[in-house]
Amino acid sequence: MENITTLTPSMGFDSPHEGEVESLIPIQPQGEAMAVESMVPSSGAMLLHAPPEDPVGGEGRELVPAAGGLEAPAGPSGDSEEPCLGMEFDSPDAARAFFSAYAERVGFRIRNSKSFTSRVDDTVIMRRFVCSKQGRPTKKDPFDLTKKRRNRASSREGCKAMLQVNRRENGLWAVSRCVLEHCHPLGIAPKPSPAVQKKLAKKPWELIVSPPAETQQSGLGPGGGVAQSLLEYFKRMQAENPAFFYAIQVDQNNCVANVFWADARARMAYSYLGDAIMFDMTCKKNKRVVPFAAFTGVNHHRQLIIFGCAFMTDESEASFTWLFETWLALMSGRRPVSITTAYNDAMGAASAKVFLNVHHRFCRRDIFHKCKEKLSNVYLAHPSFKAEFKKCVSDSESIEEFESCWKLIMDRYNLKENMWLQSLYDIRQKWVPVYARSTFFAELSGAPKLETMHKLFQRHSITTTSLRDLVTQFDKAMAGQYEKEIQADFATTHNRPVLKTPSPLEKQASEIYTKTIFDLLQGELVESSGFLMDKIEDGVVSKFRVTKVDDASKVYMVNYNASEKNISCSCCKFEFSGILCRHAFRVSLVVGILTFPEGYILRRWTRNAKSNILSYDHCGVLQTNCHKAVTWRCNDLCRDAIRFAEEGATSAMIYKVAKGALQKAFAEVFAAKRGSSFNGTR
């Protein structure tokens, strides 16, 4: 099995064990060495180590015995040999072990299949080993509600790859049939890196790193002991990987007040999935942890991803403005669609100043948490208030419904004069979901709650107050998060989801979306059968009235433009979450929509969310030669190089191809520098 090298948060690979990795392929210099110009700390890239794998030459094929019998080779001479007809083994177990080793090198798994016994003495005379994806999923009635089944994906795809051995008269087992062609992508779920395996084997309390003896102080500010240690750590990381970035803000006394840092992986993740972000400061709940903050989001599997981190000792509007501007500049000035922050006036003011034309909202979960303190007497006197209050805020599907429900609760519990609730009502457009449903926030109803940084720190037992130790523990935690994403990518690619309806929309979605998102969309499609529909207006834009079978009080209006293939619902689920709702699916069934209309498949939820390797969105910058343009070009090339390295390091064979392409690219760059097109200018 190939060893997939794991990227660490600092965009360097874990150090491989001796003997596990083949020697690196050097890039040959082209003439004189290229002069390296001084760039800003955020620019730079590095070549990465490659994992071991023996390439398997030739295309997959079935070997058929030629007329006149077989000429058996001497037998397997090494683990790198391909199976072929006539190979002989001492036992069927030896044949299986050989085929299993071959499968691990190529990238698939095997299992036992048929076996035949002799009619004379009932001994086994034939064994067959097949690819684990051989066969087809069993046909089950998805509408049989009497049987409760787990919604598990099937790995069977009808693959024909196999190895069959028969016992000969001399007692040896010879290969009589061999099929090497597969009908599916090859690749095996990568094992966690040694560092992550070691971490997962430990108990949570063993992960806490003891502070160094020379540490005299546990925070930023005067003294400089811990702050200096942290800065030295950042400098070392930047020396190892120039794409690592950090920035420092000092106070009036020239003491470190706030620190921000981000690695290349965070910057690259933002380029793909930076449409909806959250500024998370929930770690403040733990008094034992220094004031840690992070720009977070969700990937295409609804897993937590990090776009940058900070230590905040000064929470003034000026500090938040500095942090937001620094982070935005690092992300090439590309603003998100939406940003969610804690309920904080200074944070809100800084967000409005920096994130122009970005929809800002306060975190609903943070407001509910503050309500526990502000409304503790109300919660104690009226146990039912908390549930009614949360339902009013979270489940209202129209502004009218929210307004009437809020008024009813205020009257029922006599809270019209409550200053806290009145202040929340005055800013209801900034935190109640129904007011922001036309903006994308990557929030999916019915899905599990997203993990906050506070929960992440708890899960990984990150409780030390030493800054450098916290960063080290956080890097370990993020290595685990990256492993989860790799595992989720593999599960999506190599497992076929079970379809529950005959709808072609469901089949198309199963091939496009990740498993997590498909499960949610499949739920919407199945639930659409529980709704009734009436066409209330015909024309270029048809209007439909959709109601639930057992509850006609809630009405949803769906508009469908047949000429432009546009469909929209009053619930605004697609605008808010990025997937179509059950009401739109109900109408699509009637109007005959067999495939998703263009524009209704949000790329960030698909399997190919991170497949765009090169971006030319700002090519105009390439035409100028000022220092700012040179810096931008270096950063842009760095992001592309990191993506190239990730793809090129997946196997030894691909690594060699990537090295060859890189060698060719270097030759062309050097030729351009020497040629007249460069003309001696920067």
Side-chain angles (χ1 to χ4, degrees), residues 404-472:
S404 62
C405 184
W406 182 280
K407 185 177 183 302
L408 183 63
I409 291 176
M410 297 302 107
D411 291 340
R412 179 180 300 168
Y413 296 102
N414 193 25
L415 297 172
K416 289 183 178 181
E417 304 301 325
N418 187 287
M419 298 300 295
W420 169 253
L421 289 173
Q422 184 59 45
S423 66
L424 293 182
Y425 181 77
D426 292 340
I427 60 166
R428 58 193 180 279
Q429 291 86 357
K430 299 284 289 183
W431 69 284
V432 178
V434 71
Y435 289 95
R437 60 183 180 175
S438 61
T439 303
F440 181 73
F441 280 95
E443 187 175 311
L444 294 162
S445 59
K449 288 183 179 180
L450 296 174
E451 187 175 41
T452 63
M453 295 306 301
H454 175 62
K455 294 295 184 183
L456 179 75
F457 274 44
Q458 282 187 331
R459 181 159 58 86
H460 291 275
S461 299
I462 304 177
T463 57
T464 178
T465 55
S466 170
L467 300 185
R468 183 169 174 174
D469 290 349
L470 189 147
V471 173
T472 303

Side-chain angles (χ1 to χ4, degrees), residues 77 125 205-206 230 251 298 415 424 472 520 573 587 639 671:
S77 58
I125 59 174
W205 51 85
E206 294 176 329
L230 180 66
D251 59 17
V298 291
L415 297 172
L424 293 182
T472 303
L520 295 171
K573 186 179 184 68
V587 172
R639 284 189 291 268

Side-chain angles (χ1 to χ4, degrees), residues 34-326:
M34 181 187 295
V36 180
E37 300 178 9
S38 176
M39 295 294 176
V40 294
S42 61
S43 61
M46 65 184 297
L47 294 179
L48 308 178
H49 295 284
E53 178 184 309
D54 295 326
V56 179
E59 296 292 329
R61 59 206 179 274
E62 177 174 359
L63 305 179
V64 182
L70 292 170
E71 240 181 78
S77 58
D79 290 341
S80 62
E81 189 171 349
E82 277 190 2
C84 64
L85 292 173
M87 277 186 171
E88 292 185 341
F89 301 91
D90 293 333
S91 66
D93 291 337
R96 190 187 193 284
F98 171 77
F99 193 45
S100 177
Y102 165 77
E104 288 185 354
R105 290 198 311 274
V106 176
F108 68 99
R109 291 192 174 93
I110 68 170
R111 58 183 173 83
N112 297 334
S113 183
K114 294 181 179 179
S115 64
F116 291 157
T117 57
S118 170
R119 295 181 179 179
V120 179
D121 54 6
D122 286 336
T123 58
V124 177
I125 59 174
M126 188 278 285
R127 291 286 301 276
R128 181 180 297 174
F129 314 108
V130 299
C131 174
S132 62
K133 293 183 181 291
Q134 180 266 348
R136 293 289 181 183
T138 56
K139 298 293 184 181
K140 298 179 182 179
D141 184 4
F143 300 101
D144 185 0
L145 302 180
T146 61
K147 297 181 179 179
K148 187 175 181 180
R149 298 187 179 93
R150 293 172 61 189
N151 185 22
R152 294 190 298 180
S154 173
S155 62
R156 305 295 179 89
E157 296 188 18
C159 184
K160 303 291 185 182
M162 51 88 76
L163 183 78
Q164 180 174 306
V165 291
N166 290 69
R167 191 181 68 189
R168 287 184 168 179
E169 293 181 357
N170 59 5
L172 297 178
W173 293 75
V175 176
S176 60
R177 193 176 178 192
C178 181
V179 181
L180 302 181
E181 185 177 14
H182 297 263
C183 66
H184 55 87
L186 297 179
I188 295 180
K191 290 182 178 179
S193 64
V196 174
Q197 286 180 329
K198 184 177 180 181
K199 179 178 76 70
L200 295 177
K202 291 185 176 182
K203 302 296 182 183
W205 51 85
E206 294 176 329
L207 297 176
I208 301 178
V209 183
S210 300
E214 66 272 13
T215 299
Q216 301 295 329
Q217 193 173 335
S218 62
L220 300 173
V226 172
Q228 185 62 34
S229 176
L230 180 66
L231 298 184
E232 290 175 357
Y233 176 73
F234 284 163
K235 287 180 180 179
R236 187 172 73 251
M237 291 187 68
Q238 191 178 81
E240 296 173 357
N241 182 5
F244 180 85
F245 174 89
Y246 70 93
I248 301 167
Q249 184 187 35
V250 297
D251 59 17
Q252 297 176 349
N253 299 319
N254 284 332
C255 296
V256 177
N258 302 307
V259 179
F260 167 73
W261 74 95
D263 58 31
R265 182 180 282 273
R267 299 164 67 184
M268 188 168 60
Y270 180 76
S271 67
Y272 299 118
L273 304 163
D275 42 15
I277 68 171
M278 181 173 181
F279 184 64
D280 191 327
M281 294 191 71
T282 55
C283 289
K284 290 175 60 179
K285 296 178 182 178
N286 189 342
K287 302 302 181 182
R288 297 177 60 193
V289 177
V290 293
F292 181 89
F295 294 91
T296 67
V298 291
N299 64 9
H300 46 314
H301 303 289
R302 287 195 78 252
Q303 297 170 334
L304 179 72
I305 51 176
I306 307 297
F307 301 134
C309 305
F311 290 132
M312 299 287 293
T313 61
D314 178 20
E315 298 184 13
S316 63
E317 180 181 337
S319 290
F320 286 123
T321 300
W322 169 83
L323 178 62
F324 293 165
E325 288 177 344
T326 303

